[in-house]
Amino acid sequence: MAGFDKRVASYEEAMEGIESGMTVLAGGFGLCGIPENLIAEIKRRGVKDLTVVSNNCGVDGFGLGLLLEDRQIRKILASYVGENALFEQQMLNDEIEVVLTPQGTLAEKMRAGGAGIPAFYTATGYGTPIGEGKEVREFNGRPHILEEAITGEFAIVKGWKADRYGNVMYRHTAQNFNPMVATAGRITVVEVEEIVEPGELEPSQIHTPGIYVDRIIQGTFEKRIEKRTVHS
Amino acid sequence: MALTREQMAQRVARELEDGFYVNLGIGIPTLVANYIPEDMDVMLQSENGLLGMGRYPTEEEVDPDMINAGKQTVTARPGAAIFSSAESFAMIRGGHVDLTVLGAFEVDQNGNIASWMIPGKLIKGMGGAMDLVAGAENIICTMTHASKHGESKLLEKCNLPLTGAGCINRVLTDLAYLEIKDGTFILKERAPGVSVEEIVEKTAGKLVVPDHVPEMTFAQG
């Protein structure tokens, strides 16, 4: 009886079932808190025409940037992209469709998606190109636009510690988009630095309760730094 | 003389108040952190999920899991809190941040701001800027008054695609400090040695000039 044990034995098993054309939600902010090994496994599998939802798209040769090398991403929803030359080139050649989305709206779209809220109104983006074509409604004398929730076939998440039941804690600002991503995948895969026994994590300190998580794997991480800035 | 970047940051810092939660954008706004008065406690919010951003780390303290919204490595100060992106933007959208400081390409007399997209140039995205301008009641926009070619950036109507509509009420440029109210810029202060005439000449939008426009003062050195 596996019960609530969400552990899988390999990265291959962790991404079992991913197919071309699927939507994949990915946690991370820049290169901080990205599911780097799960991304590498998607690259290894060679699935194509993916729709990726992530705040950013990695850098050349690392993170989601890896999936650009074999043109695996057809469309991306992100708030800030273009930290990589390959992305820029594919964007200019119309090889990748980019849907720029305000950062808070992106986070809320996934939060709503995971929480069963199909859409929400926000003042963010009203009167800008982001609001064009969207339903407008006034609340408290102020116009708001209707934004729709996001869910995906797969959600890939980077945690710090998890127990076998899939309860996850994040470390420092590596939390970022990961908790919302974790709630919005039909299959949610979490890779962590350490898997512990149930009972070892303080229940009130769990960021992502195991109910959202389908698969857990322990990995080792490069944790590349994008902008190393030190105190002078 | 037009203000230096450091002087602009110094001037913005005078708008801080003890107990303020503040979000500083990239560029000149970031420099404001260097001018928080000693006798004041201000908490910096970074929209990737950090309230209580500290100084940059030493080499030994560098931690890849600890960054700010500009993706730079940072530390957390005592009393800091860390949370998700959704929580971070709940604070921003919900109007809980006391002051937001951000840069812009253009601002107009109706408080519209354009800061993220120049058609024909590579568009990287708006990041959190649209949420910040829509959510904050209290925003200071920092920018140069005119382009290198002398074209005003304080306009009757923004030419570039907007980041937010009707949300800016204060602007600090390298030449002046202005407020925006009822469809007009109001000149409040001028940079040391900059004449009212020069500011009038470089402001394309409607501008109200009070009888007395004080000159900003800065400590020497």
Side-chain angles (χ1 to χ4, degrees):
Chain A
M1 188 182 77
F4 296 104
D5 195 339
K6 310 281 174 75
R7 288 174 302 173
V8 294
S10 65
Y11 276 94
E12 191 173 354
E13 200 181 325
M15 292 311 294
E16 181 74 46
I18 190 165
E19 289 171 19
S20 293
M22 282 185 169
T23 295
V24 179
L25 319 180
F29 188 100
L31 300 181
C32 181
I34 59 170
E36 53 183 83
N37 299 301
L38 294 170
I39 293 167
E41 172 63 17
I42 294 174
K43 176 172 169 67
R44 193 193 66 78
R45 285 172 173 259
V47 288
K48 305 239 181 205
D49 294 323
L50 298 173
T51 294
V52 170
V53 184
S54 166
N55 190 52
N56 314 93
C57 197
V59 295
D60 286 322
F62 193 67
L64 289 170
L66 284 175
L67 304 187
L68 298 169
E69 292 172 357
D70 301 320
R71 296 183 162 66
Q72 290 174 270
I73 304 177
R74 185 183 54 80
K75 179 176 174 181
I76 182 161
L77 282 80
S79 86
Y80 196 85
V81 293
E83 300 286 27
N84 30 9
L86 201 50
F87 189 95
E88 201 170 307
Q89 188 193 323
Q90 290 182 20
M91 190 159 83
L92 292 171
N93 293 346
D94 282 329
E95 290 169 321
I96 186 165
E97 183 189 345
V98 184
V99 182
L100 289 172
T101 307
Q103 201 172 113
T105 295
L106 189 65
E108 193 64 13
K109 275 171 174 271
M110 289 192 273
R111 197 198 69 78
I117 309 264
F120 57 92
Y121 286 100
T122 177
T124 302
Y126 173 77
T128 78
I130 300 310
E132 280 168 23
K134 289 177 183 160
E135 185 188 321
V136 176
R137 193 167 155 189
E138 214 166 275
F139 295 94
N140 304 318
R142 196 172 175 204
H144 292 70
I145 58 174
L146 186 67
E147 291 281 8
E148 290 184 21
I150 293 176
T151 56
E153 278 95 357
F154 268 85
I156 55 174
V157 170
K158 160 68 175 56
W160 176 37
K161 286 184 185 179
D163 63 22
R164 287 191 283 116
Y165 293 177
N167 293 306
V168 183
M169 288 170 70
Y170 305 97
R171 186 169 175 276
H172 301 333
T173 60
Q175 183 174 163
N176 54 60
F177 280 82
N178 280 296
M180 285 76 67
V181 165
T183 65
R186 195 166 54 74
I187 297 174
T188 291
V189 189
V190 184
E191 59 170 329
V192 295
E193 294 171 43
E194 189 185 358
I195 298 179
V196 300
E197 286 301 305
E200 286 187 40
L201 302 179
E202 169 61 38
S204 64
Q205 300 300 306
I206 303 290
H207 293 116
T208 293
I211 193 167
Y212 296 112
V213 177
D214 298 286
R215 301 171 190 170
I216 280 271
I217 186 164
Q218 183 173 313
T220 52
F221 299 85
E222 180 186 334
K223 292 194 186 183
R224 200 179 287 185
I225 294 175
E226 204 164 341
K227 293 181 186 170
R228 175 182 289 266
T229 316
V230 293
H231 181 65
S232 49
Chain B
M1 280 281 286
L3 301 182
T4 63
R5 290 162 57 86
E6 283 70 24
Q7 285 174 320
M8 288 177 72
Q10 265 178 280
R11 177 61 193 84
V12 170
R14 288 176 198 162
E15 301 301 314
L16 297 172
E17 290 179 27
D18 191 28
F20 258 21
Y21 295 102
V22 179
N23 183 291
L24 301 175
I26 291 165
I28 292 167
T30 303
L31 299 176
V32 175
N34 300 334
Y35 298 101
I36 299 170
E38 294 275 344
D39 59 351
M40 218 179 254
D41 201 4
V42 166
M43 198 76 89
L44 300 177
Q45 204 257 15
S46 193
E47 64 266 26
N48 59 317
L50 170 60
L51 185 62
M53 181 165 58
R55 57 165 172 73
Y56 294 122
T58 61
E59 284 289 354
E60 295 71 39
E61 289 171 331
V62 166
D63 183 336
D65 290 337
M66 197 63 220
I67 65 166
N68 64 16
K71 299 170 190 167
Q72 297 170 310
T73 46
V74 288
T75 58
R77 55 163 273 176
I82 292 174
F83 33 82
S84 73
S85 299
E87 183 85 53
S88 183
F89 282 94
M91 289 171 199
I92 290 167
R93 227 188 283 103
H96 303 279
V97 176
D98 296 300
L99 177 67
T100 292
V101 186
L102 80 174
F105 301 142
E106 295 174 346
V107 168
D108 72 27
Q109 64 195 33
N110 289 308
N112 297 320
I113 171 173
S115 66
W116 71 286
M117 175 183 182
I118 297 177
K121 287 197 179 173
L122 184 74
I123 300 153
K124 291 191 170 185
M126 70 294 283
M130 285 191 182
D131 308 276
L132 280 159
V133 297
E137 302 243 318
N138 197 4
I139 305 172
I140 300 177
C141 212
T142 60
M143 57 197 294
T144 54
H145 208 101
S147 72
K148 281 185 296 216
H149 313 292
E151 290 154 356
S152 179
K153 296 181 180 181
L154 273 55
L155 306 172
E156 191 182 323
K157 192 171 185 297
C158 287
N159 297 311
L160 297 169
L162 298 186
T163 309
C167 44
I168 305 298
N169 46 26
R170 293 192 281 171
V171 184
L172 177 76
T173 73
D174 53 342
L175 305 182
Y177 179 64
L178 309 98
E179 289 181 2
I180 301 173
K181 206 179 168 192
D182 302 327
T184 176
F185 292 102
I186 304 164
L187 180 57
K188 303 298 279 188
E189 295 171 31
R190 56 200 169 90
V194 171
S195 67
V196 169
E197 290 70 31
E198 181 180 353
I199 295 163
V200 169
E201 186 198 329
K202 290 184 174 164
T203 306
K206 199 198 280 182
L207 176 67
V208 169
V209 182
D211 291 340
H212 177 62
V213 182
E215 202 175 73
M216 296 173 208
T217 53
F218 294 94
Q220 292 300 311

